[in-house]
Amino acid sequence: MPLHMMLKKKHLSAGRVPLILFLCQLISALDVPLDSKLLDDLVQPPTITQQSPKDYIIDPRENIVIQCEAKGKPPPSFSWTRNGTHFDIDKDPLVTMKPGSGTLVINIMSEGKAETYEGVYQCTARNERGAAISNNIVVRPSRSPLWTKERLEPIVLRNGQSLVLPCRPPIGLPPAIIFWMDNSFQRLPQSERVSQGLNGDLYFSNVLPEDTREDYICYARFNHTQTIQQKQPISLKVISVDELNDTIAANLSDTELYGAKSSKERPPTFLTPEGNESHKEELRGNVLSLECIAEGLPTPIIYWIKEDGTLPVNRTFYRNFRKTLQIIRVSEADSGNYQCIAKNTLGAVHHTISVTVKAAPYWIVAPQNLVLSPGENGTLICRANGNPKPRISWLTNGVPIEIALDDPSRKIDGDTIIFSNVQESSSAVYQCNASNKYGYLLANAFVNVLAEPPRILTSANTLYQVISNRPALLDCAFFGSPMPTIEWFKGTKGGALHEDIYVLHDNGTLEIPVAQKDSTGTYTCVAWNKLGMAKNEVHLEIKDPTRIIKQPEYAVVQRGSKVSFECKVKHDHTLIPTIMWLKDNGELPNDERFSTDKDHLVVSDVKDDDGGTYTCTANTTLDSASASAVLRVVAPPPTPAPIYDVPNPPFDLELTNQLDKSVQLTWTPGDDNNSPITKFIIEYEDAMHEAGLWRHQAEVSGTQTTAQLKLSPYVNYSFRVMAENSIGRSMPSEASEQYLTKAAEPDQNPTAVEGLGTEPDNLVITWKPLNGFQSNGPGLQYKVSWRQKDGDDEWTSVVVANVSKYIVSGTPTFVPYLIKVQALNDVGFAPEPAAVMGHSGEDLPMVAPGNVRVNVVNSTLAEVHWDPVPPKSVRGHLQGYRIYYWKAQSSSKRNRRHIEKKILTFQGSKTHGMLPGLQPYSHYALNVRVVNGKGEGPASTDRGFHTPEGVPSAPSSLKIVNPTLDSLTLEWDPPSHPNGILTEYILKYQPINSTHELGPLVDLKIPANKTRWTLKNLNFSTRYKFYLYAQTSVGSGSQITEEAITTVDEAGILPPDVGAGKAMASRQVDIATQGWFIGLMCAVALLILILLIVCFIRRNKGGKYPVKEKEDAHADPEIQPMKEDDGTFGEYSDAEDHKPLKKGSRTPSDRTVKKEDSDDSLVDYGEGVNGQFNEDGSFIGQYSGKKEKEPAEGNESSEAPSPVNAMNSFV
């Protein structure tokens, strides 16, 4: 018979923890207790208690310690095998075994190498009763090899391409942990676009210019040796198409440059894994990690599904921006096909991973130790499972059972060994080995045949003291073989105690669930088996509980006075209590003002800090009791003064004349505190529906003390009254008695009834339910009715509980319905409700708009017309039409630029709209879709159109080179936006004299294929101002200006003011030369008056007024004449002077003026591509021009004021 000595888990309390700990120390599962004082003569086979892991990776820099600990009686001896043969440790001076242990210590720090001791080790612990063996311990030193040296070429990619940076770390033991950092040891940021794969490689779904860097470094951390290895840095440069064109422009013609779509959008493809399918195998209990990383533009998003089931809840986690799916504690049920889906706006791609979960062996029933007496029977069961099914093999004392000595008492039946009529010689240690291709399990279980009479291990005459009405536990730890039977007796007479009053635990403990005074006495534990009997007496005393019969009381005292707290304790006369006082759960202040005696705490000269909670605690050796009181310290009362305060609460509330829908409330006013009561406020509480919530009922004048109150059905009323005077409102009175009115049918129906479908085949009916006060009776429900509006169907009705929603399924798509919701209760129905109209669920539109036509209004504006779709095909509420349009191809081969699709939405049923902000001389494509509440319908056939030519932008730059005595050479770059085919350049120039007056203007026309022009026969040492325009067949574009000076002589020496460039021409007019200033001085002196007359005569000769010419010299040259064809603005001029005005700012040091690019995009019009338009396609809001950009260089002088600003300054 096996020896069962486990503790039952019923009726246990915290007070029994010491006893349980004592029993656990003596009794482990099926082990013989090894207490040397009690059981010196008992023997036990060896049991392995501690061993190194099966796969033991060691640090080659430290001594090797291979653990093997075992227990047994007598203590076991130890031996080792290495690689299947005996390992003689005495022959190796570096190997020692710890005394009293089987643990090996191999000293490789002084000499020797860890690789020398690599191998498979097994420990055997043996005594006269058998031999136990450890697992096969595979000892391997950790390795952290260096990266092989390699030369990594810099990587150059175009913006938007995909990239994989390989890591390929050296193979170490255990495998390294991979991470990417830069030269500053900062981790590289990762995102949905850039992430590290499970293999350590760094994946880019698409590269951006900010990815450019020279220090992409892969690090491998080997935790076992605390080392980090570094790969050579990888250099990556991401260039845009414009940069690439600039690099190769010198060697390629215009037609060989890269197109504008440097980052062509593309649907996703997988970077890893490859192909459409792959296979993954994982072991049961491990973490299953599945990975999918895709490239594409825009960056794809990854989704995961399990084809034949759902992902397990609470075990599924997404890592690495959803690119990795992890399932923890994986089991065979997790096998199946998993699909990862990569999506972006251009498409989706799928990959299926077939997962097979295998299993190393795991226990179903592990063999347990057996303690039997001679002649008894028993079994050892070893059951394990795995995938594939593990093979079970038995060993005895470390030897395969097939070749071990025969034992007639045992019989092997697969995974079970059956023992019958065992003898002492049957004692042995059996090993069960369950193995398959993925691993093995090894368990030791001994059979110990003992013939022992009962022994009681609990000390004799132990005294137990227990507080009355609490559980009592009397211990009787025992041992014997066969397992003894335990019985308890009370006193010297009487029979055995039974479980109708007592609880008898399997470990021998007697429990008295509720100990009373009459439980006191002597209890005897008797243990017996066929070999003998043992008994032991213990004593139980029941004590009275400790109680505080006089508790300290709440006290409010004035500052400086004295307070006393009393605490009287009643306790068992055999127990001596200890009284302790606490303040705010801490010790009393160390102050002589605090004094204690047997029953009192006295605080003298009370201060503000003495306020708080005071606790009296009485402790005995068996129990404790406590009580608390609060001390509040107040200031001494001031000199009495007249009291002007809010009224005291009314009192003595009474209900009379109680009818079904009314009641009379009467009260007595409280003191008005010297301010007359102006009114009474009556509130009610509905204890049935809104307990604790008081609502306003009525108000009456301050002279009344009675009110007739109207009531609602089925409400449990309570009333209270507050008084109000000029100071304020009183506290509420005490509540009146409750009054429950009779139930009635509802007098109103739910509000906010709506019918809206959430799916194409349903109708969701919602309403705002009645509250409990409005229900008028018990059993509130709702009758929901519906029928199609345009049919002859009868009403369909259903009664639902007190909810706020009902879903009608199986409806046709987007059909109008009439809906009613009526309230009812146990008494009856509410009045018939009015019907409201709703619609079943919407679905996506079925038909695309037809007959799409495009009318190009001008080079930047087009009007689109389309035919409306049939109303039935909308299948929902028509919200409008949406136009998708994009620049498909530029008519000019130059300067092509990628533009994403733009969207304009036109609300309602409009069938036309305007497309603003188009680029001249371009090819566009568009389609139209109808939109309802569910989404967009199919797109119409793409319709293309061309925008006509427009005027070009200004030349990109203009500079003057090679100045000579009578010539200047101009070089320029073509316009960044030609907006058509350039026909010619127009060059205008004029001299500027020393007084900044402008000379005659000369016009030249230059062929469009020229970007350099030399002007000859110029005046020497003369400043010239140049204006350059580009022209298409539509007209001239914006101008760019520059100034330069011819040289003094052929040596090319420039005058001192040449470096000033435009600064001299931009110098502001001296105030002393202004006409108004001279006029002011005429009032002071006659001589100044004469000079003023001369200036006046000169001004009226018909020539230029100097100030006017100087204003012209400082005007903004970018202001152009108004063109009839393009509607641009003209320059500032008068009827007599049409000379171009020059820009008053300095040129850069290289004498090159850069013209800022100006993209004609919807952003300049307001709110971008998704801006809203009126029904005619015009923008909502006003057009506003761009602000002037800051100067390209940090010039010290600012721009000269314009003529308009100068004029305004004189006002």
Side-chain angles (χ1 to χ4, degrees):
M1 180 185 297
L3 178 65
H4 297 287
M5 306 182 72
M6 300 298 291
L7 184 65
K8 274 188 179 179
K9 293 184 178 179
K10 64 177 182 177
H11 306 299
L12 295 182
S13 65
R16 303 167 221 176
V17 171
L19 171 62
I20 295 173
L21 293 176
F22 173 72
L23 293 177
C24 291
Q25 291 174 353
L26 290 179
I27 304 170
S28 60
L30 298 181
D31 282 356
V32 176
L34 297 180
D35 191 320
S36 58
K37 296 180 180 179
L38 299 176
L39 303 170
D40 288 336
D41 55 341
L42 292 181
V43 294
Q44 177 177 313
T47 300
I48 301 291
T49 59
Q50 191 173 4
Q51 57 183 315
S52 294
K54 295 179 182 178
D55 190 8
Y56 187 26
I57 300 175
I58 61 172
D59 190 338
R61 302 169 299 178
E62 298 178 354
N63 288 338
I64 304 173
V65 178
I66 309 176
Q67 291 185 330
C68 181
E69 304 289 343
K71 67 178 181 178
K73 200 70 174 290
S77 60
F78 297 89
S79 62
W80 285 87
T81 62
R82 180 184 173 201
N83 297 328
T85 61
H86 178 67
F87 183 35
D88 192 348
I89 63 175
D90 296 330
K91 294 183 178 180
D92 192 334
L94 299 182
V95 182
T96 59
M97 187 182 295
K98 289 185 178 181
S101 165
T103 298
L104 293 182
V105 179
I106 304 175
N107 185 9
I108 63 172
M109 296 184 66
S110 57
E111 57 179 309
K113 295 184 178 179
E115 291 78 4
T116 306
Y117 295 94
E118 190 171 351
V120 181
Y121 292 78
Q122 189 173 43
C123 169
T124 301
R126 187 184 307 274
N127 68 9
E128 64 186 42
R129 287 277 169 154
I133 61 175
S134 71
N135 293 321
N136 286 329
I137 303 171
V138 180
V139 177
R140 296 183 294 170
S142 64
R143 298 180 180 89
S144 53
L146 297 174
W147 246 294
T148 57
K149 290 189 176 180
E150 55 183 336
R151 182 177 180 183
L152 302 175
E153 295 295 335
I155 301 173
V156 179
L157 294 177
R158 280 184 293 157
N159 183 17
Q161 289 183 299
S162 63
L163 173 65
V164 180
L165 295 183
C167 180
R168 293 193 286 271
I171 300 175
L173 187 68
I177 298 174
I178 306 301
F179 50 92
W180 289 80
M181 296 196 298
D182 57 18
N183 275 331
S184 303
F185 296 100
Q186 299 297 316
R187 286 188 180 266
L188 296 176
Q190 298 190 21
S191 63
E192 291 180 340
R193 186 178 61 84
V194 183
S195 61
Q196 176 182 320
L198 295 177
N199 64 350
D201 293 349
L202 191 62
Y203 293 85
F204 295 75
S205 295
N206 50 79
V207 295
L208 298 176
E210 58 259 32
D211 296 327
T212 299
R213 62 189 314 140
E214 297 179 351
D215 55 351
Y216 284 95
I217 305 174
C218 182
Y219 289 85
R221 183 174 69 210
F222 298 91
N223 285 344
H224 219 77
T225 56
Q226 297 297 310
T227 58
I228 296 179
Q229 306 291 358
Q230 171 185 335
K231 184 183 178 75
Q232 289 292 323
I234 302 175
S235 174
L236 170 64
K237 183 176 182 182
V238 180
I239 59 177
S240 65
V241 170
D242 291 340
E243 292 179 287
L244 190 59
N245 287 339
D246 291 343
T247 303
I248 63 176
N251 301 316
L252 298 176
S253 66
D254 290 343
T255 60
E256 293 174 308
L257 298 181
Y258 281 93
K261 293 190 176 180
S262 62
S263 308
K264 182 178 181 181
E265 291 189 348
R266 58 189 181 276
T269 58
F270 283 113
L271 297 173
T272 183
E274 298 179 350
N276 296 326
E277 297 180 353
S278 59
H279 181 74
K280 174 77 172 181
E281 187 175 283
E282 191 55 79
L283 290 182
R284 179 181 186 269
N286 290 352
V287 177
L288 173 65
S289 295
L290 305 179
E291 178 182 61
C292 283
I293 301 178
E295 66 90 17
L297 189 66
T299 302
I301 304 299
I302 304 296
Y303 303 89
W304 292 90
I305 60 173
K306 188 178 182 184
E307 292 182 356
D308 51 353
T310 58
L311 296 173
V313 181
N314 300 327
R315 293 193 295 117
T316 301
F317 300 92
Y318 298 98
R319 313 290 187 199
N320 195 20
F321 308 96
R322 295 184 67 90
K323 300 175 187 177
T324 302
L325 171 70
Q326 285 189 343
I327 301 177
I328 62 174
R329 302 187 302 276
V330 68
S331 66
E332 291 86 341
D334 296 318
S335 297
N337 292 332
Y338 293 78
Q339 191 176 97
C340 61
I341 306 165
K343 287 184 179 180
N344 68 8
T345 56
L346 298 185
V349 64
H350 304 71
H351 183 92
T352 301
I353 305 175
S354 177
V355 174
T356 303
V357 178
K358 300 292 186 178
Y362 56 91
W363 291 119
I364 297 176
V365 179
Q368 301 294 319
N369 295 333
L370 283 178
V371 178
L372 303 174
S373 62
E376 286 189 327
N377 303 328
T379 58
L380 283 180
I381 300 175
C382 176
R383 288 183 186 152
N385 202 357
N387 187 8
K389 185 76 174 179
R391 185 177 65 89
I392 304 295
S393 59
W394 288 95
L395 299 86
T396 178
N397 296 326
V399 177
I401 203 164
E402 294 81 6
I403 62 175
L405 293 175
D406 189 34
D407 184 353
S409 67
R410 72 170 179 247
K411 177 184 177 182
I412 302 174
D413 184 11
D415 58 7
T416 303
I417 300 179
I418 303 171
F419 296 93
S420 58
N421 193 24
V422 296
Q423 301 302 319
E424 191 170 344
S425 60
S426 301
S427 296
V429 181
Y430 289 85
Q431 290 83 33
C432 173
N433 186 304
S435 62
N436 64 12
K437 62 186 290 187
Y438 299 106
Y440 72 93
L441 293 172
L442 179 67
N444 290 278
F446 64 69
V447 176
N448 195 11
V449 182
L450 296 173
E452 292 293 330
R455 307 183 186 197
I456 295 180
L457 310 181
T458 302
S459 301
N461 295 313
T462 301
L463 175 63
Y464 295 92
Q465 293 181 329
V466 178
I467 297 297
S468 176
N469 294 318
R470 296 186 183 181
L473 291 170
L474 308 183
D475 178 35
C476 182
F478 64 91
F479 176 76
S481 180
M483 187 178 73
T485 299
I486 304 298
E487 290 183 319
W488 281 89
F489 300 87
K490 182 181 179 184
T492 57
K493 298 180 181 180
L497 303 178
H498 300 291
E499 291 201 19
D500 53 348
I501 299 177
Y502 303 92
V503 180
L504 302 177
H505 293 278
D506 289 343
N507 67 342
T509 298
L510 174 67
E511 177 181 357
I512 306 174
V514 182
Q516 303 291 339
K517 280 289 187 177
D518 58 4
S519 302
T520 301
T522 299
Y523 292 79
T524 302
C525 170
V526 178
W528 57 272
N529 64 13
K530 64 182 181 179
L531 299 179
M533 181 191 69
K535 65 180 180 178
N536 185 47
E537 289 185 349
V538 296
H539 306 283
L540 176 62
E541 292 182 355
I542 305 301
K543 305 295 184 180
D544 291 327
T546 303
R547 295 183 294 117
I548 297 177
I549 58 175
K550 178 64 175 177
Q551 298 184 1
E553 297 179 351
Y554 173 79
V556 178
V557 299
Q558 296 179 9
R559 188 187 311 117
S561 60
K562 178 179 179 180
V563 66
S564 175
F565 293 105
E566 184 178 8
C567 180
K568 287 188 177 181
V569 178
K570 183 178 182 180
H571 57 89
D572 191 277
H573 68 280
T574 63
L575 301 177
I576 301 176
T578 301
I579 308 299
M580 178 182 296
W581 286 91
L582 303 175
K583 179 181 184 296
D584 297 329
N585 295 323
E587 294 184 357
L588 291 176
N590 186 16
D591 192 327
E592 61 183 9
R593 297 183 300 107
F594 291 81
S595 61
T596 60
D597 56 20
K598 180 180 179 182
D599 299 327
H600 292 82
L601 167 66
V602 178
V603 183
S604 304
D605 189 17
V606 174
K607 302 182 182 302
D608 289 337
D609 293 342
D610 295 336
T613 302
Y614 289 83
T615 304
C616 164
T617 302
N619 296 302
T620 69
T621 55
L622 297 181
D623 66 344
S624 65
S626 63
S628 300
V630 174
L631 171 64
R632 180 184 172 196
V633 181
V634 298
T639 302
I643 297 175
Y644 296 95
D645 202 353
V646 298
N648 292 345
F651 58 94
D652 195 17
L653 273 66
E654 183 180 1
L655 296 177
T656 58
N657 296 335
Q658 297 177 357
L659 303 177
D660 288 347
K661 293 188 177 182
S662 67
V663 71
Q664 182 172 289
L665 175 65
T666 304
W667 63 91
T668 301
D671 193 334
D672 64 5
N673 291 324
N674 301 312
S675 178
I677 296 174
T678 57
K679 64 180 177 179
F680 291 100
I681 299 96
I682 304 169
E683 295 181 335
Y684 73 92
E685 175 199 28
D686 181 2
M688 182 183 302
H689 303 110
E690 296 177 327
L693 181 63
W694 290 89
R695 296 185 179 275
H696 182 81
Q697 174 76 25
E699 292 184 5
V700 297
S701 69
T703 60
Q704 289 185 232
T705 58
T706 300
Q708 192 73 24
L709 306 177
K710 293 182 178 180
L711 307 181
S712 295
Y714 199 58
V715 176
N716 195 7
Y717 282 99
S718 293
F719 299 97
R720 67 182 186 184
V721 183
M722 292 173 286
E724 187 174 296
N725 61 11
S726 61
I727 306 299
R729 184 174 295 183
S730 74
M731 296 293 291
S733 68
E734 294 291 330
S736 70
E737 60 179 307
Q738 292 185 345
Y739 176 50
L740 177 62
T741 57
K742 292 182 180 181
E745 65 274 3
D747 51 19
Q748 57 183 302
N749 285 304
T751 57
V753 178
E754 290 184 346
L756 295 172
T758 58
E759 298 295 336
D761 61 348
N762 76 3
L763 172 66
V764 180
I765 302 173
T766 59
W767 61 89
K768 181 181 179 182
L770 305 181
N771 57 36
F773 186 83
Q774 297 167 326
S775 66
N776 286 2
L780 177 62
Q781 294 178 301
Y782 299 99
K783 178 183 177 184
V784 183
S785 305
W786 68 92
R787 70 175 177 85
Q788 289 191 23
K789 177 178 180 294
D790 298 329
D792 298 328
D793 297 344
E794 296 293 329
W795 287 92
T796 301
S797 300
V798 64
V799 176
V800 299
N802 187 14
V803 295
S804 61
K805 179 173 69 175
Y806 182 76
I807 300 177
V808 181
S809 302
T811 64
T813 302
F814 197 67
V815 171
Y817 276 84
L818 293 177
I819 301 163
K820 297 189 294 186
V821 181
Q822 184 178 22
L824 67 148
N825 60 19
D826 292 349
V827 179
F829 285 83
E832 182 69 19
V836 299
M837 191 175 76
H839 283 85
S840 57
E842 299 181 72
D843 204 347
L844 294 177
M846 296 187 297
V847 178
N851 193 21
V852 178
R853 294 137 6 240
V854 182
N855 176 30
V856 179
V857 179
N858 56 40
S859 61
T860 62
L861 183 66
E863 184 177 14
V864 183
H865 291 261
W866 59 90
D867 290 346
V869 300
K872 288 188 177 180
S873 70
V874 178
R875 300 201 294 180
H877 294 285
L878 176 64
Q879 293 189 356
Y881 291 86
R882 188 168 291 161
I883 299 178
Y884 286 75
Y885 66 102
W886 61 95
K887 186 178 176 184
Q889 178 181 357
S890 176
S891 299
S892 171
K893 296 292 184 179
R894 294 177 179 269
N895 200 22
R896 291 184 294 171
R897 184 169 302 178
H898 173 74
I899 298 178
E900 297 180 352
K901 288 185 178 180
K902 300 178 182 179
I903 303 172
L904 288 178
T905 300
F906 298 90
Q907 305 292 337
S909 58
K910 290 297 294 181
T911 58
H912 68 277
M914 308 295 287
L915 301 184
L918 304 179
Q919 185 170 333
Y921 200 57
S922 299
H923 177 68
Y924 281 87
L926 61 80
N927 59 52
V928 185
R929 312 174 190 202
V930 65
V931 183
N932 66 11
K934 192 72 173 180
E936 295 178 353
S940 67
T941 303
D942 290 353
R943 176 73 63 184
F945 64 95
H946 292 269
T947 54
E949 287 189 282
V951 296
S953 62
S956 299
S957 65
L958 173 63
K959 59 184 178 180
I960 290 85
V961 297
N962 302 328
T964 65
L965 187 66
D966 62 350
S967 69
L968 292 171
T969 299
L970 284 72
E971 292 182 353
W972 61 89
D973 290 327
S976 58
H977 297 284
N979 293 338
I981 299 175
L982 297 182
T983 58
E984 61 185 359
Y985 291 96
I986 298 176
L987 175 64
K988 299 180 181 181
Y989 63 94
Q990 58 189 149
I992 305 174
N993 62 19
S994 58
T995 61
H996 309 292
E997 295 178 347
L998 300 175
L1001 188 66
V1002 179
D1003 290 1
L1004 287 179
K1005 293 185 178 180
I1006 301 173
N1009 61 350
K1010 298 293 185 179
T1011 58
R1012 179 184 177 96
W1013 194 263
T1014 300
L1015 297 174
K1016 299 181 179 179
N1017 300 322
L1018 303 176
N1019 297 329
F1020 71 92
S1021 188
T1022 301
R1023 178 183 303 279
Y1024 286 88
K1025 183 167 184 177
F1026 301 92
Y1027 312 88
L1028 182 64
Y1029 309 80
Q1031 187 163 331
T1032 63
S1033 60
V1034 177
S1036 300
S1038 303
Q1039 69 177 8
I1040 186 171
T1041 65
E1042 181 59 290
E1043 295 181 9
I1045 302 176
T1046 55
T1047 59
V1048 177
D1049 54 35
E1050 292 297 339
I1053 301 175
L1054 297 177
D1057 63 348
V1058 169
K1062 263 192 277 185
M1064 291 191 63
S1066 303
R1067 188 177 303 146
Q1068 296 188 6
V1069 177
D1070 190 351
I1071 192 172
T1073 65
Q1074 300 298 305
W1076 63 270
F1077 181 78
I1078 296 174
L1080 178 64
M1081 298 304 295
C1082 287
V1084 179
L1086 180 61
L1087 179 60
I1088 296 175
L1089 180 59
I1090 296 173
L1091 292 176
L1092 179 61
I1093 295 172
V1094 173
C1095 292
F1096 180 80
I1097 295 172
R1098 185 181 175 193
R1099 178 180 180 184
N1100 287 276
K1101 286 182 179 180
K1104 286 282 186 179
Y1105 181 46
V1107 176
K1108 177 68 172 66
E1109 292 178 351
K1110 292 172 185 178
E1111 288 175 346
D1112 291 344
H1114 296 289
D1116 189 346
E1118 295 186 1
I1119 301 176
Q1120 294 298 307
M1122 177 71 78
K1123 304 289 192 307
E1124 293 182 359
D1125 53 351
D1126 63 1
T1128 56
F1129 294 96
E1131 66 176 40
Y1132 174 78
S1133 63
D1134 58 19
E1136 298 177 356
D1137 187 6
H1138 295 282
K1139 293 181 180 180
L1141 305 177
K1142 84 174 197 67
K1143 185 174 182 179
S1145 64
R1146 292 183 178 177
T1147 60
S1149 58
D1150 63 355
R1151 304 185 63 76
T1152 301
V1153 178
K1154 291 292 185 181
K1155 181 67 177 178
E1156 296 291 339
D1157 290 343
S1158 177
D1159 293 333
D1160 191 5
S1161 69
L1162 289 180
V1163 178
D1164 299 333
Y1165 288 86
E1167 299 185 359
V1169 297
N1170 289 318
Q1172 294 296 314
F1173 293 83
N1174 289 326
E1175 292 184 351
D1176 61 355
S1178 61
F1179 282 96
I1180 300 173
Q1182 296 180 352
Y1183 172 83
S1184 61
K1186 294 183 179 178
K1187 294 182 179 179
E1188 276 192 47
K1189 296 179 172 58
E1190 294 293 331
E1193 299 289 338
N1195 297 329
E1196 295 180 2
S1197 64
S1198 61
E1199 272 190 57
S1202 68
V1204 175
N1205 291 336
M1207 292 172 62
N1208 290 337
S1209 66
F1210 296 141
V1211 177

